[in-house]
Amino acid sequence: MYDFKSLTDSIHTSLSAGLSPIMVTIIEFVIIAFAFMILFTLLGLILVYAERKICAFFQLRLGPMRVGKWGMAQTAADAVKLIFKEPLVTKNADKFLFNLAPFIIILSTFLALGAMPFAKGLHALDFDIGVLYLTAVSSIGVIGILIAGWSSDNKYSLIGAMRSGAQVVSYELSVGLSLLTVVVLAGSLQFSEIIASQEAGWWIFRGHIPALIAFVIFMIAGTAETTRGPFDLPEAESELTAGFHTEYSGLKFAFFFLAEFVNMFIIAGIGATVFLGGWMPFHIGNWEGFNRVMDFIPPLFWFFGKVTFLIFLMMWFKWTFPRLRIDQLLRLEWKYLLPINLVNILVMAFIVLKGWQF
Amino acid sequence: MKAIIKYISSIFKALKSLFRGMAVTGHYISHPKEIITQQYPENRETLKMFDMFRGEVVLTHNERNEHRCTGCSACEVACPNGSIEIISKRIEMPDGKKKKVIDKFVYHLSMCTFCNLCILSCPTDAIKMSQDFEHAVFDRSQLTKVLNKTGSKLMEGVR
Amino acid sequence: MAETHINTISGKPLESQEYLINMGPQHPSTHGVLRLLLTLDGEIIHKVEPHLGYIHRSIEKMCEKDSYTQIVHLTDRMDYLSSHMNNEAVSLAVEQGLELEMPERVKVIRTIISELTRLSSHQLWWGVFGMDLGAITTFLYGFRDREMIIDIFEETCGARLTMNYNVPGGLMFDIHPNFQKRTKAFVAHFKQKLPEYDQLLTGNVIFELRTKGVGILSKEDAISYGVTGPSGRASGFSNDVRKHNPYSAYSQVEFKEALSEEGDSYARYKVRIQEMWESLSIIEQLIDNIPEGDYKAKTKAVIKLPKGEYYQKVETARGEFGVYIISEGGKSPYRLKFRSPGFSNLSALDHMAKGAKIGDLVVIMSTLDLVIPDIDR
């Protein structure tokens, strides 16, 4: 398996040869920032296109077909349109907060994207408390949503923002606890180690039923955290027109829109990393031959394949189910997901204590 | 204990009902043949309206540029919203008699509700509904049409 | 009134205001230009005030200058989803005044097309209901099946929505030769697809949570507000005009009046699904037995109703639609009044939505199946 660490190390050493360490750090930061910006834009474009196509096929439609072959350039065209659109601000809006909100959301998305392990060694931030860091930064986004709703001076936006506040804060718990279930198994909060611990097989297969339950809960709570699918209450278009981003237009709206899709990627990425082994190929115990064959498929392919699968699952949810009501949404979290999660984590701890995992 | 069993079974029931719904949408995404989209401007060649389709009112002309409208204005009376205006004139016939013929058959497409009452009221079957449905224009005045062609005259034998 | 909260530090009551929100006239789930003034306490609704007039076209006044044949096409533009039934009501009222007996063929064709219209209306309602709940996919599925019916209409009378197929004294044209074949094909197709509707929504746990116990309307309230049609029947108010005052060919067919006792949104949903099955069965009973004969009774070119008052009601997809004509003996009515089902159904909205949440309001509105031009004519 190719280790990207050799590549990053070679870049580092070649830079260090002629420059002071501070300059090296700055240049490396710029390179990484640039790479993530490109990734962010690409992800946004591809995911928006995929969503529109997949949604169309669920609904017996063809989706965008006009711009480019099969409408491939549609999202790029939309992006260009959004850039040239007039950024409107409502008359009594709190201008500073109104302009700040999209950046907070984007910031949280970027921070979370930084901790994503794409392949072996291809990892911007590999903290030893990676899981904790990720759950922390991904909840910064809700502040952006609240600010957006508050500052737009629109009652619909405010209701949407308040809904999302209640929703994201609640579901944060379930996301965290379901991740902890696997942390108990893996014995580490560091993403690279969680992946390394899955060399003999992914945790979803090796962790008995508790891992499966944790995965289902993670998918539900993760969808809720991205405010998508059946949990899109903050922007429920049939109730609140567009919720917290009703008053946004142009590029600022594009930020919200992109952040939603990249958040979906992040949730799918965490799910893939923690439960499905991240970039780790599909291994079965000590079947050497089988594992060797699987290793021929590059890790990037594995990672993006798993992420694609999870994203498809989330889109499937979204385009099938009706939306929940706010009180039912909170009931689902506090009366179902949270108690199940707590029991689940206990069972998992017991399994690990006894050493029953495969 | 009963409450716990009920609690757990309610979860499984809920999940089952969700999977049933996903099976339907899953069926459609895996059967692209079911797609119902028609690509409109591309299929213009093959797109055909039904014969009965009420597109717009037309005055039929034959190859000798003759129509059947006697200018009786029955359609003008029948029209509920004044979409039809018949402007007639008197011409002198070769035998010296004066006769009323149409000068202009004005049709306001913008006001028409396609109720078909004018066609029913026409005693000489001069007008009919065409199957043309692409009515969009850039200027509203273009929706006011004169239906009789220039130089056209009444068909022989129609009165 | 919003509750008073006490400031824990100063001990004084906090000032709290009711929250007013304009839902509409441009709002995705008011389905048109209905404006609702909501009085909210957070998410909870205290009062719903519908404001009408955004799509008022004074149809009743226009009828006073139109001839009876011309009136018919105006009713297309009221409840555009049950245009055929509206046409039929006017035609029947005029025929009642003329004391005309319709040929059997006309009666049967009118009934079949009425039921097809009802089906298409309910299909659209089903799709839109799903969309209001957030399941946008249902919308397209509903439209797919509706398209087949619309095609039947287009082939038969040339128009898809505002059909104007009835004229006082019969039908505008005879049916198309393909009519029976196409209708049968549709019935066969839709019998397969209707269970899919159930699979996608009816059994779904989220759907049940959203609709069960939401917007309860008791039988007494349904009667006192005059809520008719499927919405009233879901509250146990037996009001099917087809059953109680049969017109056209409804006395010849067997069908059940879909009734339910609960009166919540789920019951209204179930009643409409049940009605779709009944409509299919009515069509099946009649489609092979269209009698031969004229498609039109003989009428004078200019219809003049004798002096008097005439009332005819029919069952549209939304409830009881009535036409009340006062004639002075002229060629147009002295006064014409429509009793539109949507207007009465909307009046119950405030009562049903009290104490519900914003999400519930959307559900209640959707299950009342409001068509705004019908309310505001």
Side-chain angles (χ1 to χ4, degrees):
Chain A
M1 226 177 303
Y2 181 71
D3 192 345
F4 279 89
K5 206 164 175 8
S6 54
L7 177 74
T8 48
D9 281 348
S10 69
I11 293 173
H12 183 74
T13 42
S14 59
L15 280 174
S16 311
L19 292 162
S20 67
I22 296 168
M23 277 305 285
V24 171
T25 320
I26 288 170
I27 288 172
E28 281 174 2
F29 270 30
V30 169
I31 292 172
I32 289 169
F34 203 66
F36 272 114
M37 260 181 221
I38 289 170
L39 178 74
F40 190 87
T41 329
L42 274 181
L43 272 180
L45 291 182
I46 292 168
L47 283 174
V48 173
Y49 177 73
E51 164 108 323
R52 292 177 70 171
K53 272 292 182 196
I54 288 172
C55 145
F57 285 126
F58 274 129
Q59 300 178 342
L60 313 170
R61 297 185 288 120
L62 288 171
M65 288 293 276
R66 296 260 182 270
V67 190
K69 176 97 177 145
W70 289 89
M72 298 267 210
Q74 181 71 54
T75 44
D78 284 347
V80 171
K81 182 204 81 174
L82 281 172
I83 289 168
F84 286 110
K85 248 178 121 170
E86 185 188 359
L88 294 167
V89 184
T90 31
K91 198 177 166 195
N92 293 324
D94 187 326
K95 302 253 163 26
F96 173 68
L97 290 181
F98 188 82
N99 292 325
L100 181 70
F103 292 99
I104 294 184
I105 289 183
I106 286 282
L107 181 80
S108 112
T109 316
F110 263 115
L111 285 177
L113 209 55
M116 198 60 52
F118 294 99
K120 196 172 189 179
L122 197 64
H123 204 162
L125 294 168
D126 195 13
F127 284 143
D128 50 356
I129 50 160
V131 174
L132 217 57
Y133 165 80
L134 223 147
T135 43
V137 295
S138 64
S139 53
I140 293 175
V142 69
I143 297 171
I145 293 180
L146 280 172
I147 290 177
W150 167 256
S151 63
S152 348
D153 188 39
N154 179 323
K155 289 172 179 176
Y156 283 115
S157 302
L158 189 59
I159 295 177
M162 290 305 150
R163 279 182 178 187
S164 94
Q167 176 182 339
V168 177
V169 169
S170 306
Y171 277 85
E172 199 78 349
L173 279 171
S174 278
V175 171
L177 282 175
S178 55
L179 289 179
L180 278 188
T181 319
V182 175
V183 170
V184 170
L185 263 177
S188 170
L189 284 164
Q190 197 171 359
F191 277 121
S192 53
E193 282 191 25
I194 291 177
I195 294 169
S197 70
Q198 301 184 64
E199 184 144 24
W202 305 342
W203 283 126
I204 192 166
F205 301 124
R206 282 166 63 203
H208 296 276
I209 292 166
L212 202 66
I213 293 175
F215 177 68
V216 171
I217 290 175
F218 176 81
M219 283 313 290
I220 294 172
T223 319
E225 234 201 275
T226 50
T227 63
R228 265 184 66 82
F231 309 103
D232 54 349
L233 287 124
E235 48 206 287
E237 84 283 332
S238 61
E239 294 157 27
L240 305 178
T241 56
F244 62 88
H245 58 63
T246 308
E247 296 294 350
Y248 284 87
S249 65
L251 204 56
K252 277 178 265 177
F253 169 73
F255 278 1
F256 281 113
F257 196 62
L258 278 181
E260 184 193 325
F261 281 93
V262 179
N263 275 332
M264 183 165 71
F265 173 81
I266 290 167
I267 289 291
I270 303 171
T273 308
V274 173
F275 294 95
L276 304 176
W279 46 261
M280 189 61 76
F282 185 64
H283 286 176
I284 301 177
N286 41 16
W287 293 17
E288 288 298 329
F290 180 77
N291 293 350
R292 195 74 46 80
V293 172
M294 284 294 160
D295 285 345
F296 277 113
I297 303 170
L300 266 176
F301 183 84
W302 278 106
F303 178 76
F304 281 101
K306 287 165 192 173
V307 169
T308 311
F309 169 72
L310 291 185
I311 286 176
F312 178 74
L313 214 57
M314 283 160 89
M315 286 179 179
W316 199 347
F317 293 155
K318 169 155 185 173
W319 298 112
T320 307
F321 301 140
R323 180 185 305 125
L324 284 151
R325 202 171 61 204
I326 182 72
D327 57 325
Q328 290 158 353
L329 182 90
L330 297 179
R331 192 185 301 146
L332 172 69
E333 163 65 19
W334 295 101
K335 287 195 171 169
Y336 288 89
L337 297 187
L338 191 66
I340 294 173
N341 227 329
L342 288 170
V343 172
N344 195 37
I345 207 167
L346 268 179
V347 173
M348 186 55 105
F350 188 73
I351 287 173
V352 173
L353 266 180
K354 288 279 179 189
W356 282 346
Q357 78 269 35
F358 296 113
Chain B
M1 194 61 213
K2 237 181 195 167
I4 295 173
I5 291 171
K6 209 179 149 196
Y7 177 85
I8 291 170
S9 74
S10 74
I11 293 170
F12 277 100
K13 250 188 221 154
L15 283 178
K16 201 184 140 198
S17 78
L18 295 179
F19 283 129
R20 262 162 44 105
M22 283 170 76
V24 176
T25 42
H27 170 82
Y28 283 117
I29 201 171
S30 53
H31 291 72
K33 259 192 204 156
E34 302 256 5
I35 285 176
I36 46 173
T37 305
Q38 292 181 18
Q39 294 237 281
Y40 161 55
E42 285 87 347
N43 72 355
R44 219 186 206 150
E45 304 294 306
T46 54
L47 191 66
K48 198 179 167 298
M49 292 289 114
F50 291 112
D51 293 338
M52 297 293 288
F53 182 73
R54 303 180 202 158
E56 62 174 323
V57 176
V58 288
L59 190 64
T60 45
H61 289 74
N62 66 5
E63 63 278 5
R64 281 174 296 168
N65 204 12
E66 291 172 338
H67 58 75
R68 297 171 66 88
C69 181
T70 57
C72 71
S73 59
C75 46
E76 195 177 343
V77 174
C79 182
N81 32 40
S83 316
I84 296 174
E85 276 177 77
I86 293 179
I87 300 164
S88 51
K89 62 180 177 191
R90 289 189 171 274
I91 52 162
E92 204 160 310
M93 298 298 279
D95 55 354
K97 278 183 190 168
K98 286 205 167 168
K99 200 186 166 196
K100 197 177 99 178
V101 291
I102 54 165
D103 183 19
K104 274 179 185 168
F105 190 110
V106 182
Y107 171 53
H108 300 279
L109 181 58
S110 53
M111 291 205 263
C112 184
T113 53
F114 311 103
C115 66
N116 209 38
L117 292 178
C118 50
I119 281 97
L120 291 185
S121 72
C122 185
T124 54
D125 290 334
I127 46 175
K128 66 165 195 165
M129 284 283 183
S130 81
Q131 275 73 53
D132 184 19
F133 60 94
E134 289 162 324
H135 296 317
V137 284
F138 284 102
D139 187 0
R140 200 192 302 175
S141 63
Q142 283 171 275
L143 290 172
T144 300
K145 299 177 179 181
V146 176
L147 297 187
N148 52 326
K149 290 180 188 161
T150 41
S152 66
K153 50 179 203 272
L154 185 64
M155 205 181 283
E156 287 291 310
V158 177
R159 55 174 87 221
Chain C
M1 264 292 147
E3 296 168 48
T4 45
H5 300 276
I6 308 290
N7 185 334
T8 45
I9 300 164
S10 65
K12 285 179 193 156
L14 284 175
E15 264 184 55
S16 66
Q17 279 181 323
E18 278 175 331
Y19 199 55
L20 288 180
I21 247 189
N22 271 311
M23 197 165 172
Q26 264 79 42
H27 188 279
S29 62
T30 53
H31 302 305
V33 282
L34 176 66
R35 175 178 155 216
L36 298 172
L37 187 58
L38 309 182
T39 309
L40 300 173
D41 177 18
E43 281 255 350
I44 295 162
I45 291 164
H46 282 302
K47 206 161 89 186
V48 181
E49 269 180 88
H51 286 243
L52 301 178
Y54 290 90
I55 193 168
H56 188 77
R57 295 146 297 170
S58 63
I59 286 183
E60 283 175 18
K61 193 73 193 166
M62 278 157 81
C63 290
E64 287 171 21
K65 64 108 185 145
D66 279 353
S67 74
Y68 289 104
T69 4
Q70 289 173 342
I71 287 171
V72 176
H73 97 288
L74 288 173
T75 59
D76 278 338
R77 280 137 186 100
M78 292 168 53
D79 180 357
Y80 47 81
L81 292 178
S82 30
S83 52
H84 183 85
M85 286 92 115
N86 295 353
N87 295 167
E88 197 175 354
V90 177
S91 305
L92 286 169
V94 175
E95 283 150 20
Q96 187 194 339
L98 295 172
E99 288 173 0
L100 265 178
E101 184 58 33
M102 283 298 106
E104 278 303 303
R105 185 175 176 83
V106 175
K107 286 185 181 177
V108 170
I109 293 172
R110 276 183 179 176
T111 310
I112 295 173
I113 296 203
S114 283
E115 288 312 308
L116 282 174
T117 317
R118 192 183 315 282
L119 272 171
S120 76
S121 168
H122 283 350
Q123 283 162 347
L124 181 92
W125 160 81
W126 181 81
V128 172
F129 185 36
M131 196 169 73
D132 282 345
L133 286 166
I136 299 162
T137 309
T138 59
F139 182 69
L140 276 296
Y141 293 175
F143 256 76
R144 170 197 58 191
D145 301 330
R146 184 167 175 269
E147 193 63 22
M148 290 184 80
I149 298 184
I150 301 290
D151 274 349
I152 296 173
F153 293 159
E154 193 183 343
E155 193 174 36
T156 299
C157 70
R160 296 166 68 80
L161 201 65
T162 52
M163 305 198 285
N164 195 26
Y165 186 44
N166 278 303
V167 288
L171 301 167
M172 195 175 258
F173 320 102
D174 204 353
I175 48 170
H176 195 271
N178 284 344
F179 179 74
Q180 274 160 304
K181 197 179 79 192
R182 266 182 187 271
T183 309
K184 277 185 207 160
F186 163 75
V187 170
H189 165 86
F190 195 51
K191 274 193 163 174
Q192 282 180 352
K193 295 298 176 191
L194 199 46
E196 213 168 70
Y197 285 22
D198 280 338
Q199 216 182 331
L200 200 60
L201 273 191
T202 317
N204 191 303
V205 62
I206 304 175
F207 177 78
E208 287 187 352
L209 279 174
R210 284 298 299 276
T211 51
K212 274 190 179 162
V214 169
I216 294 175
L217 185 73
S218 68
K219 187 178 176 181
E220 287 71 31
D221 287 329
I223 294 171
S224 58
Y225 280 107
V227 177
T228 51
S231 314
R233 261 168 265 152
S235 306
F237 172 26
S238 165
N239 60 21
D240 199 329
V241 184
R242 297 174 292 170
K243 206 80 186 169
H244 297 292
N245 301 76
Y247 53 94
S248 293
Y250 283 112
S251 50
Q252 304 168 18
V253 288
E254 292 217 351
F255 66 99
K256 278 208 293 287
E257 183 180 0
L259 277 173
S260 177
E261 294 300 323
E262 287 86 10
D264 58 356
S265 299
Y266 190 69
R268 288 192 281 277
Y269 173 87
K270 289 291 261 187
V271 163
R272 286 205 173 85
I273 295 279
Q274 184 61 32
E275 270 197 8
M276 287 202 238
W277 284 111
E278 295 301 331
S279 293
L280 282 178
S281 119
I282 293 174
I283 294 167
E284 278 190 324
Q285 287 173 48
L286 291 175
I287 192 69
D288 280 324
N289 309 315
I290 301 178
E292 294 298 314
D294 288 334
Y295 64 90
K296 205 174 174 184
K298 285 226 157 49
T299 50
K300 283 182 188 145
V302 177
I303 296 172
K304 283 184 179 170
L305 280 196
K307 197 174 156 89
E309 298 175 8
Y310 311 98
Y311 183 69
Q312 177 67 44
K313 54 184 179 180
V314 297
E315 180 77 16
T316 71
R318 261 144 220 89
E320 188 180 315
F321 178 81
V323 178
Y324 181 58
I325 299 175
I326 302 177
S327 172
E328 296 273 79
K331 70 180 180 63
S332 34
Y334 170 72
R335 172 82 171 92
L336 192 143
K337 163 88 184 129
F338 293 117
R339 188 255 179 232
S340 66
F343 189 77
S344 316
N345 292 3
L346 176 71
S347 66
L349 181 66
D350 180 41
H351 175 77
M352 289 155 84
K354 240 173 214 144
K357 305 210 165 41
I358 299 174
D360 291 338
L361 178 70
V362 174
V363 172
I364 296 168
M365 260 195 327
S366 207
T367 49
L368 281 176
D369 198 4
L370 303 174
V371 165
I372 311 306
D374 183 36
I375 298 164
D376 199 4
R377 17 177 221 286

